């Protein structure tokens, strides 16, 4: 027999699209897949699936970033309004609204999350924020000023003692030990639209990014050599899926 019933009067039911995802992550007991609408959670032990959205457990809508700790300590959800949700291994969700509620002027969207050790680095329109993953409190904050203007930080990459940041115009490099005390940023310029710079990453001790265009088979992989971005010849002008 099949029984169909309406949602109980006074309750809400989510109908957000949960079939394609932008981010994935895992802890010891769960696998996560997230898109702008919510997070799908697969439990390895009982093989169940649960959707987390604003309707049930999440604090905000419009997810803009998602990252899980490599050792499975927590997963962090960043939102367009600067809000943060932290998913603990036991499934408990902690909200951290400090960025959203701050008096800092600028776009507070959490554009990227980088986790190193017990620290989460957040990139946003107001700068770079550090969060302690033990207490989930903000440790430090640095607005990124370059050419006399506050920069919107889109992506972060830590490489040695340097932090690489993509902005709306280029890629900046700064010395991590001085970021929050005596910041000084150098530009690694490249003559392509900033919104086409995606997937800043390291591979075999080298730094790369993908130029993703809207044109058919016109994507390119760039490698940082010295102070220049050089296209990787056999992956230049190709259709790159990621």
């Amino acid at each position: 027999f099949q029984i169909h019933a309406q949602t109980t009067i006074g309750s809400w039911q989510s109908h957000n699209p949960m079939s394609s995802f932008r981010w994935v992550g895992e802890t010891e007991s769960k696998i996560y897949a997230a898109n702008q609408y919510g997070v799908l959670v697969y439990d390895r032990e009982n093989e169940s699936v649960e959707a987390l959205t604003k309707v049930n457990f999440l604090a905000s809508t419009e997810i803009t970033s998602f990252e899980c700790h490599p050792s499975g300590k927590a997963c962090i959800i960043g939102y367009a309004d600067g809000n943060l949700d932290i998913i603990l291994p036991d499934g408990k969700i902690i909200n951290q609204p400090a960025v959203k509620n701050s008096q800092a002027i600028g776009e507070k969207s959490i554009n990227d999350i980088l986790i190193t050790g017990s620290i989460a680095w957040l990139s946003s329109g107001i700068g770079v924020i550090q969060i302690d993953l033990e207490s989930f409190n903000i440790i430090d904050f640095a607005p990124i000023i370059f050419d006399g203007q506050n920069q919107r930080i889109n992506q972060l990459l830590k490489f040695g003692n340097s932090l690489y940041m993509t902005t709306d115009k280029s890629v900046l490099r700064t010395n991590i030990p001085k970021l929050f005390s005596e910041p000084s940023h150098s530009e690694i310029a490249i003559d392509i639209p900033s919104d086409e710079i995606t997937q800043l990453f390291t591979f075999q001790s080298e730094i790369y990014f993908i130029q993703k265009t809207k044109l058919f088979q016109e994507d390119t992989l760039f490698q940082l050599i010295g102070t220049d971005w050089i296209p990787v010849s056999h992956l230049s002008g190709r259709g790159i899926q990621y």
Side-chain angles (χ1 to χ4, degrees):
F1 294 92
Q2 291 183 340
I3 300 176
H4 300 277
Q6 294 180 331
T7 304
T8 305
I9 294 176
S11 65
W12 292 88
Q13 185 176 13
S14 174
H15 293 281
N16 292 320
M18 300 296 283
S19 59
S20 62
F21 303 92
R22 182 176 176 184
W23 307 275
V24 294
E26 64 178 335
T27 59
E28 185 176 344
S29 61
K30 295 179 174 64
I31 299 174
Y32 302 87
N35 59 24
Q36 69 183 93
Y37 305 104
V39 180
L40 205 63
V41 185
Y42 172 75
D43 191 296
R44 300 176 191 264
E45 184 176 349
N46 59 34
E47 301 183 349
S48 64
V49 176
E50 180 182 25
L52 309 179
T53 68
K54 176 68 183 298
V55 172
N56 50 19
F57 298 107
L58 303 185
S60 292
T61 57
E62 195 175 349
I63 295 174
T64 50
S65 54
F66 180 85
E67 186 69 25
C68 291
H69 194 285
S71 65
K73 290 184 178 180
C75 294
I76 303 176
I77 305 170
Y79 298 95
D81 61 2
N83 218 336
L84 292 167
D85 276 335
I86 297 100
I87 307 174
L88 301 182
D90 63 1
K92 182 180 179 182
I93 299 176
I94 298 174
N95 179 241
Q96 170 51 279
V99 178
K100 176 184 176 181
N101 296 337
S102 74
Q103 299 301 309
I105 298 175
E107 181 196 348
K108 297 177 182 179
S109 171
I110 307 300
N111 302 318
D112 192 22
I113 302 170
L114 170 67
I115 296 178
T116 60
S118 61
I119 295 175
W121 303 68
L122 313 177
S123 65
S124 73
I126 60 175
V128 176
I129 303 119
Q130 279 189 335
I131 286 189
D132 176 60
L133 291 180
E134 299 296 333
S135 65
F136 303 112
N137 292 324
I138 290 180
I139 303 172
D140 234 324
F141 162 68
I144 307 300
I145 309 296
F146 187 74
D147 278 347
Q149 295 183 336
N150 187 65
Q151 302 294 312
R152 180 183 189 271
I153 306 304
N154 300 315
Q155 301 172 78
L156 292 173
L157 174 67
K158 183 178 180 292
F159 189 77
N161 285 325
S162 295
L163 187 69
Y164 293 80
M165 305 168 285
T166 64
T167 73
D168 286 342
K169 294 183 178 179
S170 63
V171 179
L172 298 179
R173 176 169 51 198
T174 191
N175 183 267
I176 291 177
K178 295 183 178 181
L179 175 61
F180 300 102
S181 57
E182 302 174 359
S184 178
H185 316 299
S186 59
E187 183 181 28
I188 311 174
I190 186 167
D191 189 23
I192 66 172
S194 59
D195 60 356
E196 294 180 359
I197 299 176
T198 64
Q199 300 291 321
L200 186 65
F201 66 96
T202 60
F203 178 69
Q204 295 182 345
S205 299
E206 302 290 345
I207 298 176
Y208 299 86
F209 76 74
I210 296 172
Q211 178 192 15
K212 187 68 176 175
T213 75
K214 296 179 180 179
L215 302 176
F216 178 68
Q217 293 191 344
E218 287 296 330
D219 307 328
T220 300
L221 180 68
F222 283 84
Q223 179 183 354
L224 180 62
I225 299 178
T227 58
D228 297 312
W229 293 107
I230 306 298
V232 178
S233 59
H234 63 281
L235 287 174
S236 178
R238 303 292 295 274
I240 301 176
Q241 300 296 320
Y242 59 87

